[in-house]
Amino acid sequence: MNKLPLSILLVEDHLAIARQVLDFLDGLGWQTDHAGTGALAVQLATCNNYDVVLLDLNLPDIDGLQACRAIKAGAPSNVPILMLTARDAYEDKARGFRDGADDYLTKPFDLRELALRCEALARRQQLHVHQEMRVGPFTLQTRAGRALYADMPLPLTQTGFKILLLLCREHPHAVSRSALLQQLWGSQPPDSDALKSHIYALRKQLELAGAAGMLVTIPQLGYRLAFDAAACDG
């Protein structure tokens, strides 16, 4: 089964390098955000869910190792961090791993290898995913298939829970209709109105729980959860 595109945060202050990496990853259909400073990187990683953070060590405001520690401490999930740096001495690598890095890639690097390492880190993270995921006002107990909004249970169907889980994993990005159909039903989706019916039922349950307006339809694309402020406040 095809997986949803990876969500990547690139932390790189060199604009030419950042543009090259972002263009390549965008070409793979991956979702990317960019931070040119450590402070912005920590803010984005704390407020959003990423599959992998690509972190340059040489940042203009704070040291990349400091940013690594802050991201590991504040991110809503234990996001894998791939360090990108010209520092290739053993001592530099050892310090990076001790401060929370999950992998290390020395500049200059092959963009194809970068993508392979991102995929490997994301797969490894999924194997060790927490039983409980917190995204903004939502708590999802993934193995139990149970969802809560503001710590109150949401009585969702199995399919409704899967949709909410996919939307939470990709927040703040939208999830396309085709990606939802593929993830929910694989290569044999039901009739075209089935997804609309499940979205309608999920939206009604959210409204009853006090989360009206949080499930947003993006015309010509799909759906997303809209609680950016809540995600950063909670």
Side-chain angles (χ1 to χ4, degrees):
M1 183 190 307
N2 295 329
K3 70 181 294 299
L4 289 171
L6 295 186
S7 178
I8 305 292
L9 172 61
L10 173 64
V11 188
E12 170 63 68
D13 68 313
H14 194 291
L15 293 181
I17 295 176
R19 188 69 270 158
Q20 184 181 22
V21 173
L22 292 171
D23 286 346
F24 180 81
L25 299 182
D26 289 343
L28 298 176
W30 294 5
Q31 298 164 340
T32 57
D33 285 335
H34 173 238
T37 66
L40 179 57
V42 173
Q43 179 184 352
L44 288 173
T46 300
C47 292
N48 303 313
N49 282 278
Y50 297 103
D51 292 302
V52 181
V53 173
L54 305 177
L55 177 62
D56 181 35
L57 286 184
N58 297 314
L59 299 173
D61 53 345
I62 61 176
D63 185 77
L65 295 176
Q66 181 182 349
C68 179
R69 293 193 297 271
I71 290 171
K72 283 292 187 178
S77 62
N78 187 26
V79 59
I81 294 179
L82 172 56
M83 285 193 169
L84 308 175
T85 178
R87 305 178 194 174
D88 58 358
Y90 168 81
E91 292 77 10
D92 293 319
K93 294 181 180 180
R95 190 176 302 113
F97 285 122
R98 283 196 297 267
D99 284 338
D102 297 275
D103 200 359
Y104 209 103
L105 193 57
T106 304
K107 295 179 179 180
F109 48 80
D110 189 318
L111 290 170
R112 295 169 299 177
E113 180 180 357
L114 174 67
L116 290 174
R117 287 176 181 260
C118 287
E119 290 175 335
L121 287 170
R123 285 196 303 269
R124 189 188 311 166
Q125 175 66 7
Q126 289 175 0
L127 290 174
H128 299 284
V129 67
H130 297 302
Q131 293 188 20
E132 184 173 281
M133 175 194 299
R134 290 184 176 272
V135 182
F138 294 99
T139 300
L140 290 92
Q141 298 169 348
T142 54
R143 293 190 180 178
R146 184 167 177 260
L148 299 90
Y149 171 75
D151 296 325
M152 297 298 293
L154 283 170
L156 303 180
T157 64
Q158 183 178 13
T159 301
F161 175 82
K162 289 180 179 179
I163 293 173
L164 182 61
L165 178 62
L166 291 168
L167 292 171
C168 283
R169 282 178 175 169
E170 295 305 307
H171 177 77
H173 304 290
V175 181
S176 68
R177 286 179 48 83
S178 61
L180 283 171
L181 289 169
Q182 176 67 31
Q183 290 293 309
L184 293 171
W185 294 293
S187 60
Q188 296 181 321
D191 63 79
S192 59
D193 291 331
L195 179 59
K196 289 183 180 179
S197 297
H198 286 291
I199 290 290
Y200 176 83
L202 175 58
R203 186 172 276 134
K204 285 299 181 182
Q205 287 294 343
L206 294 178
E207 290 175 357
L208 290 173
M214 285 194 176
L215 176 49
V216 178
T217 300
I218 308 298
Q220 310 301 318
L221 178 57
Y223 307 92
R224 69 180 291 265
L225 293 174
F227 52 87
D228 304 83
C232 295
D233 292 339

PDB file of all heavy atoms in Angstrom, residues 66-99:
ATOM      1  N   GLN A  66      21.869  22.741  20.047  1.00  0.00           N
ATOM      2  CA  GLN A  66      20.891  23.311  20.977  1.00  0.00           C
ATOM      3  C   GLN A  66      19.484  23.190  20.395  1.00  0.00           C
ATOM      4  O   GLN A  66      18.526  22.853  21.112  1.00  0.00           O
ATOM      5  CB  GLN A  66      21.229  24.772  21.256  1.00  0.00           C
ATOM      6  CG  GLN A  66      20.286  25.450  22.242  1.00  0.00           C
ATOM      7  CD  GLN A  66      20.634  26.918  22.457  1.00  0.00           C
ATOM      8  OE1 GLN A  66      21.693  27.388  22.035  1.00  0.00           O
ATOM      9  NE2 GLN A  66      19.739  27.654  23.094  1.00  0.00           N
ATOM     10  N   ALA A  67      19.353  23.476  19.096  1.00  0.00           N
ATOM     11  CA  ALA A  67      18.048  23.339  18.439  1.00  0.00           C
ATOM     12  C   ALA A  67      17.574  21.892  18.471  1.00  0.00           C
ATOM     13  O   ALA A  67      16.394  21.618  18.693  1.00  0.00           O
ATOM     14  CB  ALA A  67      18.136  23.833  16.993  1.00  0.00           C
ATOM     15  N   CYS A  68      18.496  20.957  18.283  1.00  0.00           N
ATOM     16  CA  CYS A  68      18.160  19.539  18.319  1.00  0.00           C
ATOM     17  C   CYS A  68      17.589  19.151  19.680  1.00  0.00           C
ATOM     18  O   CYS A  68      16.549  18.488  19.769  1.00  0.00           O
ATOM     19  CB  CYS A  68      19.398  18.703  17.999  1.00  0.00           C
ATOM     20  SG  CYS A  68      19.131  16.924  18.030  1.00  0.00           S
ATOM     21  N   ARG A  69      18.244  19.579  20.744  1.00  0.00           N
ATOM     22  CA  ARG A  69      17.768  19.256  22.094  1.00  0.00           C
ATOM     23  C   ARG A  69      16.389  19.852  22.333  1.00  0.00           C
ATOM     24  O   ARG A  69      15.514  19.212  22.932  1.00  0.00           O
ATOM     25  CB  ARG A  69      18.766  19.758  23.132  1.00  0.00           C
ATOM     26  CG  ARG A  69      20.109  19.036  23.114  1.00  0.00           C
ATOM     27  CD  ARG A  69      20.925  19.366  24.350  1.00  0.00           C
ATOM     28  NE  ARG A  69      21.270  20.775  24.416  1.00  0.00           N
ATOM     29  CZ  ARG A  69      22.371  21.314  23.882  1.00  0.00           C
ATOM     30  NH1 ARG A  69      23.233  20.534  23.232  1.00  0.00           N
ATOM     31  NH2 ARG A  69      22.620  22.600  23.993  1.00  0.00           N
ATOM     32  N   ALA A  70      16.184  21.103  21.878  1.00  0.00           N
ATOM     33  CA  ALA A  70      14.901  21.769  22.110  1.00  0.00           C
ATOM     34  C   ALA A  70      13.775  21.093  21.326  1.00  0.00           C
ATOM     35  O   ALA A  70      12.659  20.959  21.826  1.00  0.00           O
ATOM     36  CB  ALA A  70      15.006  23.249  21.725  1.00  0.00           C
ATOM     37  N   ILE A  71      14.066  20.661  20.110  1.00  0.00           N
ATOM     38  CA  ILE A  71      13.048  19.983  19.304  1.00  0.00           C
ATOM     39  C   ILE A  71      12.672  18.655  19.939  1.00  0.00           C
ATOM     40  O   ILE A  71      11.489  18.308  20.053  1.00  0.00           O
ATOM     41  CB  ILE A  71      13.547  19.784  17.862  1.00  0.00           C
ATOM     42  CG1 ILE A  71      13.629  21.131  17.137  1.00  0.00           C
ATOM     43  CG2 ILE A  71      12.638  18.823  17.096  1.00  0.00           C
ATOM     44  CD1 ILE A  71      14.300  21.066  15.786  1.00  0.00           C
ATOM     45  N   LYS A  72      13.666  17.905  20.367  1.00  0.00           N
ATOM     46  CA  LYS A  72      13.391  16.610  20.998  1.00  0.00           C
ATOM     47  C   LYS A  72      12.576  16.784  22.282  1.00  0.00           C
ATOM     48  O   LYS A  72      11.730  15.952  22.614  1.00  0.00           O
ATOM     49  CB  LYS A  72      14.706  15.886  21.306  1.00  0.00           C
ATOM     50  CG  LYS A  72      15.359  15.259  20.095  1.00  0.00           C
ATOM     51  CD  LYS A  72      14.544  14.094  19.557  1.00  0.00           C
ATOM     52  CE  LYS A  72      15.263  13.351  18.455  1.00  0.00           C
ATOM     53  NZ  LYS A  72      14.505  12.177  17.958  1.00  0.00           N
ATOM     54  N   ALA A  73      12.826  17.883  22.984  1.00  0.00           N
ATOM     55  CA  ALA A  73      12.116  18.108  24.244  1.00  0.00           C
ATOM     56  C   ALA A  73      10.699  18.613  24.037  1.00  0.00           C
ATOM     57  O   ALA A  73       9.803  18.312  24.828  1.00  0.00           O
ATOM     58  CB  ALA A  73      12.895  19.100  25.114  1.00  0.00           C
ATOM     59  N   GLY A  74      10.460  19.378  22.952  1.00  0.00           N
ATOM     60  CA  GLY A  74       9.177  20.057  22.818  1.00  0.00           C
ATOM     61  C   GLY A  74       8.259  19.557  21.729  1.00  0.00           C
ATOM     62  O   GLY A  74       7.083  19.912  21.713  1.00  0.00           O
ATOM     63  N   ALA A  75       8.747  18.723  20.805  1.00  0.00           N
ATOM     64  CA  ALA A  75       7.904  18.261  19.703  1.00  0.00           C
ATOM     65  C   ALA A  75       6.795  17.359  20.224  1.00  0.00           C
ATOM     66  O   ALA A  75       6.995  16.619  21.190  1.00  0.00           O
ATOM     67  CB  ALA A  75       8.748  17.528  18.665  1.00  0.00           C
ATOM     68  N   PRO A  76       5.604  17.400  19.589  1.00  0.00           N
ATOM     69  CA  PRO A  76       4.483  16.586  20.058  1.00  0.00           C
ATOM     70  C   PRO A  76       4.707  15.089  19.894  1.00  0.00           C
ATOM     71  O   PRO A  76       4.062  14.290  20.551  1.00  0.00           O
ATOM     72  CB  PRO A  76       3.308  17.074  19.204  1.00  0.00           C
ATOM     73  CG  PRO A  76       3.936  17.700  18.006  1.00  0.00           C
ATOM     74  CD  PRO A  76       5.228  18.279  18.479  1.00  0.00           C
ATOM     75  N   SER A  77       5.604  14.693  19.012  1.00  0.00           N
ATOM     76  CA  SER A  77       5.990  13.289  18.875  1.00  0.00           C
ATOM     77  C   SER A  77       7.510  13.239  18.809  1.00  0.00           C
ATOM     78  O   SER A  77       8.161  14.253  18.574  1.00  0.00           O
ATOM     79  CB  SER A  77       5.381  12.671  17.610  1.00  0.00           C
ATOM     80  OG  SER A  77       5.851  13.340  16.456  1.00  0.00           O
ATOM     81  N   ASN A  78       8.065  12.066  19.032  1.00  0.00           N
ATOM     82  CA  ASN A  78       9.518  11.922  19.033  1.00  0.00           C
ATOM     83  C   ASN A  78      10.025  11.910  17.597  1.00  0.00           C
ATOM     84  O   ASN A  78      10.463  10.887  17.075  1.00  0.00           O
ATOM     85  CB  ASN A  78       9.908  10.638  19.774  1.00  0.00           C
ATOM     86  CG  ASN A  78      11.407  10.513  19.952  1.00  0.00           C
ATOM     87  OD1 ASN A  78      12.119  11.520  19.984  1.00  0.00           O
ATOM     88  ND2 ASN A  78      11.895   9.294  20.031  1.00  0.00           N
ATOM     89  N   VAL A  79       9.985  13.068  16.969  1.00  0.00           N
ATOM     90  CA  VAL A  79      10.294  13.170  15.549  1.00  0.00           C
ATOM     91  C   VAL A  79      11.768  12.840  15.298  1.00  0.00           C
ATOM     92  O   VAL A  79      12.654  13.306  16.016  1.00  0.00           O
ATOM     93  CB  VAL A  79       9.958  14.584  15.022  1.00  0.00           C
ATOM     94  CG1 VAL A  79      10.742  15.662  15.757  1.00  0.00           C
ATOM     95  CG2 VAL A  79      10.200  14.668  13.530  1.00  0.00           C
ATOM     96  N   PRO A  80      12.061  11.998  14.278  1.00  0.00           N
ATOM     97  CA  PRO A  80      13.456  11.719  13.948  1.00  0.00           C
ATOM     98  C   PRO A  80      14.157  12.959  13.398  1.00  0.00           C
ATOM     99  O   PRO A  80      13.568  13.736  12.645  1.00  0.00           O
ATOM    100  CB  PRO A  80      13.357  10.626  12.868  1.00  0.00           C
ATOM    101  CG  PRO A  80      11.972  10.088  12.962  1.00  0.00           C
ATOM    102  CD  PRO A  80      11.122  11.213  13.456  1.00  0.00           C
ATOM    103  N   ILE A  81      15.412  13.133  13.771  1.00  0.00           N
ATOM    104  CA  ILE A  81      16.206  14.271  13.312  1.00  0.00           C
ATOM    105  C   ILE A  81      17.410  13.757  12.529  1.00  0.00           C
ATOM    106  O   ILE A  81      18.201  12.959  13.038  1.00  0.00           O
ATOM    107  CB  ILE A  81      16.670  15.144  14.489  1.00  0.00           C
ATOM    108  CG1 ILE A  81      15.463  15.794  15.166  1.00  0.00           C
ATOM    109  CG2 ILE A  81      17.658  16.215  14.011  1.00  0.00           C
ATOM    110  CD1 ILE A  81      15.818  16.657  16.364  1.00  0.00           C
ATOM    111  N   LEU A  82      17.520  14.202  11.283  1.00  0.00           N
ATOM    112  CA  LEU A  82      18.659  13.893  10.432  1.00  0.00           C
ATOM    113  C   LEU A  82      19.523  15.142  10.336  1.00  0.00           C
ATOM    114  O   LEU A  82      19.089  16.150   9.787  1.00  0.00           O
ATOM    115  CB  LEU A  82      18.186  13.452   9.042  1.00  0.00           C
ATOM    116  CG  LEU A  82      19.246  13.273   7.954  1.00  0.00           C
ATOM    117  CD1 LEU A  82      20.324  12.293   8.380  1.00  0.00           C
ATOM    118  CD2 LEU A  82      18.591  12.832   6.648  1.00  0.00           C
ATOM    119  N   MET A  83      20.724  15.077  10.876  1.00  0.00           N
ATOM    120  CA  MET A  83      21.610  16.237  10.867  1.00  0.00           C
ATOM    121  C   MET A  83      22.344  16.341   9.539  1.00  0.00           C
ATOM    122  O   MET A  83      22.877  15.346   9.031  1.00  0.00           O
ATOM    123  CB  MET A  83      22.604  16.158  12.022  1.00  0.00           C
ATOM    124  CG  MET A  83      21.987  16.489  13.364  1.00  0.00           C
ATOM    125  SD  MET A  83      23.216  16.755  14.654  1.00  0.00           S
ATOM    126  CE  MET A  83      22.158  17.443  15.942  1.00  0.00           C
ATOM    127  N   LEU A  84      22.372  17.550   8.997  1.00  0.00           N
ATOM    128  CA  LEU A  84      23.074  17.852   7.759  1.00  0.00           C
ATOM    129  C   LEU A  84      24.200  18.821   8.086  1.00  0.00           C
ATOM    130  O   LEU A  84      23.937  19.933   8.536  1.00  0.00           O
ATOM    131  CB  LEU A  84      22.120  18.483   6.740  1.00  0.00           C
ATOM    132  CG  LEU A  84      20.813  17.737   6.464  1.00  0.00           C
ATOM    133  CD1 LEU A  84      19.931  18.563   5.536  1.00  0.00           C
ATOM    134  CD2 LEU A  84      21.089  16.373   5.868  1.00  0.00           C
ATOM    135  N   THR A  85      25.440  18.425   7.866  1.00  0.00           N
ATOM    136  CA  THR A  85      26.541  19.283   8.286  1.00  0.00           C
ATOM    137  C   THR A  85      27.825  18.931   7.564  1.00  0.00           C
ATOM    138  O   THR A  85      28.000  17.800   7.084  1.00  0.00           O
ATOM    139  CB  THR A  85      26.764  19.166   9.801  1.00  0.00           C
ATOM    140  OG1 THR A  85      27.877  19.971  10.184  1.00  0.00           O
ATOM    141  CG2 THR A  85      27.024  17.720  10.199  1.00  0.00           C
ATOM    142  N   ALA A  86      28.715  19.922   7.484  1.00  0.00           N
ATOM    143  CA  ALA A  86      30.054  19.682   6.939  1.00  0.00           C
ATOM    144  C   ALA A  86      31.005  19.174   8.014  1.00  0.00           C
ATOM    145  O   ALA A  86      32.134  18.786   7.708  1.00  0.00           O
ATOM    146  CB  ALA A  86      30.597  20.978   6.328  1.00  0.00           C
ATOM    147  N   ARG A  87      30.560  19.162   9.261  1.00  0.00           N
ATOM    148  CA  ARG A  87      31.398  18.658  10.355  1.00  0.00           C
ATOM    149  C   ARG A  87      31.417  17.132  10.294  1.00  0.00           C
ATOM    150  O   ARG A  87      30.431  16.477  10.612  1.00  0.00           O
ATOM    151  CB  ARG A  87      30.851  19.101  11.711  1.00  0.00           C
ATOM    152  CG  ARG A  87      30.648  20.603  11.862  1.00  0.00           C
ATOM    153  CD  ARG A  87      30.048  20.898  13.240  1.00  0.00           C
ATOM    154  NE  ARG A  87      29.522  22.243  13.341  1.00  0.00           N
ATOM    155  CZ  ARG A  87      28.851  22.710  14.400  1.00  0.00           C
ATOM    156  NH1 ARG A  87      28.633  21.909  15.434  1.00  0.00           N
ATOM    157  NH2 ARG A  87      28.386  23.946  14.418  1.00  0.00           N
ATOM    158  N   ASP A  88      32.563  16.568   9.874  1.00  0.00           N
ATOM    159  CA  ASP A  88      32.605  15.119   9.665  1.00  0.00           C
ATOM    160  C   ASP A  88      33.516  14.397  10.652  1.00  0.00           C
ATOM    161  O   ASP A  88      33.745  13.190  10.519  1.00  0.00           O
ATOM    162  CB  ASP A  88      33.026  14.797   8.235  1.00  0.00           C
ATOM    163  CG  ASP A  88      34.385  15.383   7.881  1.00  0.00           C
ATOM    164  OD1 ASP A  88      34.981  16.071   8.734  1.00  0.00           O
ATOM    165  OD2 ASP A  88      34.848  15.140   6.749  1.00  0.00           O
ATOM    166  N   ALA A  89      34.048  15.105  11.636  1.00  0.00           N
ATOM    167  CA  ALA A  89      34.907  14.457  12.627  1.00  0.00           C
ATOM    168  C   ALA A  89      34.074  13.555  13.536  1.00  0.00           C
ATOM    169  O   ALA A  89      32.895  13.814  13.783  1.00  0.00           O
ATOM    170  CB  ALA A  89      35.645  15.502  13.457  1.00  0.00           C
ATOM    171  N   TYR A  90      34.715  12.501  14.037  1.00  0.00           N
ATOM    172  CA  TYR A  90      34.002  11.563  14.906  1.00  0.00           C
ATOM    173  C   TYR A  90      33.414  12.288  16.117  1.00  0.00           C
ATOM    174  O   TYR A  90      32.281  12.022  16.524  1.00  0.00           O
ATOM    175  CB  TYR A  90      34.960  10.464  15.382  1.00  0.00           C
ATOM    176  CG  TYR A  90      34.378   9.623  16.496  1.00  0.00           C
ATOM    177  CD1 TYR A  90      33.485   8.591  16.224  1.00  0.00           C
ATOM    178  CD2 TYR A  90      34.706   9.882  17.835  1.00  0.00           C
ATOM    179  CE1 TYR A  90      32.925   7.847  17.249  1.00  0.00           C
ATOM    180  CE2 TYR A  90      34.159   9.133  18.864  1.00  0.00           C
ATOM    181  CZ  TYR A  90      33.269   8.119  18.564  1.00  0.00           C
ATOM    182  OH  TYR A  90      32.723   7.389  19.572  1.00  0.00           O
ATOM    183  N   GLU A  91      34.175  13.218  16.703  1.00  0.00           N
ATOM    184  CA  GLU A  91      33.705  13.917  17.895  1.00  0.00           C
ATOM    185  C   GLU A  91      32.438  14.711  17.611  1.00  0.00           C
ATOM    186  O   GLU A  91      31.537  14.778  18.455  1.00  0.00           O
ATOM    187  CB  GLU A  91      34.802  14.856  18.423  1.00  0.00           C
ATOM    188  CG  GLU A  91      36.027  14.153  18.980  1.00  0.00           C
ATOM    189  CD  GLU A  91      36.949  13.624  17.898  1.00  0.00           C
ATOM    190  OE1 GLU A  91      36.750  13.962  16.694  1.00  0.00           O
ATOM    191  OE2 GLU A  91      37.872  12.860  18.245  1.00  0.00           O
ATOM    192  N   ASP A  92      32.354  15.312  16.419  1.00  0.00           N
ATOM    193  CA  ASP A  92      31.153  16.071  16.064  1.00  0.00           C
ATOM    194  C   ASP A  92      29.957  15.154  15.921  1.00  0.00           C
ATOM    195  O   ASP A  92      28.853  15.466  16.390  1.00  0.00           O
ATOM    196  CB  ASP A  92      31.386  16.834  14.755  1.00  0.00           C
ATOM    197  CG  ASP A  92      32.420  17.940  14.898  1.00  0.00           C
ATOM    198  OD1 ASP A  92      32.389  18.637  15.929  1.00  0.00           O
ATOM    199  OD2 ASP A  92      33.249  18.089  13.987  1.00  0.00           O
ATOM    200  N   LYS A  93      30.165  14.004  15.283  1.00  0.00           N
ATOM    201  CA  LYS A  93      29.058  13.056  15.113  1.00  0.00           C
ATOM    202  C   LYS A  93      28.615  12.504  16.468  1.00  0.00           C
ATOM    203  O   LYS A  93      27.412  12.385  16.736  1.00  0.00           O
ATOM    204  CB  LYS A  93      29.480  11.919  14.184  1.00  0.00           C
ATOM    205  CG  LYS A  93      29.735  12.367  12.753  1.00  0.00           C
ATOM    206  CD  LYS A  93      30.124  11.191  11.870  1.00  0.00           C
ATOM    207  CE  LYS A  93      30.375  11.641  10.443  1.00  0.00           C
ATOM    208  NZ  LYS A  93      30.758  10.514   9.564  1.00  0.00           N
ATOM    209  N   ALA A  94      29.586  12.174  17.318  1.00  0.00           N
ATOM    210  CA  ALA A  94      29.241  11.630  18.631  1.00  0.00           C
ATOM    211  C   ALA A  94      28.440  12.640  19.436  1.00  0.00           C
ATOM    212  O   ALA A  94      27.464  12.287  20.110  1.00  0.00           O
ATOM    213  CB  ALA A  94      30.515  11.241  19.385  1.00  0.00           C
ATOM    214  N   ARG A  95      28.816  13.907  19.362  1.00  0.00           N
ATOM    215  CA  ARG A  95      28.095  14.949  20.097  1.00  0.00           C
ATOM    216  C   ARG A  95      26.679  15.092  19.554  1.00  0.00           C
ATOM    217  O   ARG A  95      25.716  15.251  20.317  1.00  0.00           O
ATOM    218  CB  ARG A  95      28.841  16.280  19.980  1.00  0.00           C
ATOM    219  CG  ARG A  95      28.317  17.374  20.907  1.00  0.00           C
ATOM    220  CD  ARG A  95      29.163  18.628  20.796  1.00  0.00           C
ATOM    221  NE  ARG A  95      30.558  18.370  21.116  1.00  0.00           N
ATOM    222  CZ  ARG A  95      31.558  18.445  20.236  1.00  0.00           C
ATOM    223  NH1 ARG A  95      31.315  18.775  18.972  1.00  0.00           N
ATOM    224  NH2 ARG A  95      32.796  18.205  20.612  1.00  0.00           N
ATOM    225  N   GLY A  96      26.533  15.005  18.239  1.00  0.00           N
ATOM    226  CA  GLY A  96      25.213  15.108  17.643  1.00  0.00           C
ATOM    227  C   GLY A  96      24.297  13.973  18.071  1.00  0.00           C
ATOM    228  O   GLY A  96      23.139  14.197  18.433  1.00  0.00           O
ATOM    229  N   PHE A  97      24.799  12.744  18.072  1.00  0.00           N
ATOM    230  CA  PHE A  97      23.986  11.613  18.498  1.00  0.00           C
ATOM    231  C   PHE A  97      23.639  11.707  19.975  1.00  0.00           C
ATOM    232  O   PHE A  97      22.522  11.378  20.387  1.00  0.00           O
ATOM    233  CB  PHE A  97      24.701  10.296  18.200  1.00  0.00           C
ATOM    234  CG  PHE A  97      24.684   9.907  16.747  1.00  0.00           C
ATOM    235  CD1 PHE A  97      25.859   9.707  16.047  1.00  0.00           C
ATOM    236  CD2 PHE A  97      23.481   9.748  16.082  1.00  0.00           C
ATOM    237  CE1 PHE A  97      25.836   9.340  14.712  1.00  0.00           C
ATOM    238  CE2 PHE A  97      23.444   9.387  14.740  1.00  0.00           C
ATOM    239  CZ  PHE A  97      24.637   9.187  14.052  1.00  0.00           C
ATOM    240  N   ARG A  98      24.564  12.172  20.781  1.00  0.00           N
ATOM    241  CA  ARG A  98      24.282  12.307  22.218  1.00  0.00           C
ATOM    242  C   ARG A  98      23.201  13.349  22.468  1.00  0.00           C
ATOM    243  O   ARG A  98      22.444  13.244  23.435  1.00  0.00           O
ATOM    244  CB  ARG A  98      25.562  12.682  22.977  1.00  0.00           C
ATOM    245  CG  ARG A  98      26.532  11.527  23.195  1.00  0.00           C
ATOM    246  CD  ARG A  98      27.554  11.867  24.257  1.00  0.00           C
ATOM    247  NE  ARG A  98      28.385  12.986  23.861  1.00  0.00           N
ATOM    248  CZ  ARG A  98      29.559  12.878  23.251  1.00  0.00           C
ATOM    249  NH1 ARG A  98      30.029  11.671  22.963  1.00  0.00           N
ATOM    250  NH2 ARG A  98      30.263  13.930  22.923  1.00  0.00           N
ATOM    251  N   ASP A  99      23.121  14.365  21.589  1.00  0.00           N
ATOM    252  CA  ASP A  99      22.132  15.429  21.773  1.00  0.00           C
ATOM    253  C   ASP A  99      20.796  15.121  21.108  1.00  0.00           C
ATOM    254  O   ASP A  99      19.913  15.969  21.067  1.00  0.00           O
ATOM    255  CB  ASP A  99      22.680  16.764  21.254  1.00  0.00           C
ATOM    256  CG  ASP A  99      23.692  17.375  22.206  1.00  0.00           C
ATOM    257  OD1 ASP A  99      23.668  17.019  23.399  1.00  0.00           O
ATOM    258  OD2 ASP A  99      24.510  18.197  21.773  1.00  0.00           O
TER     259      ASP A  99
END
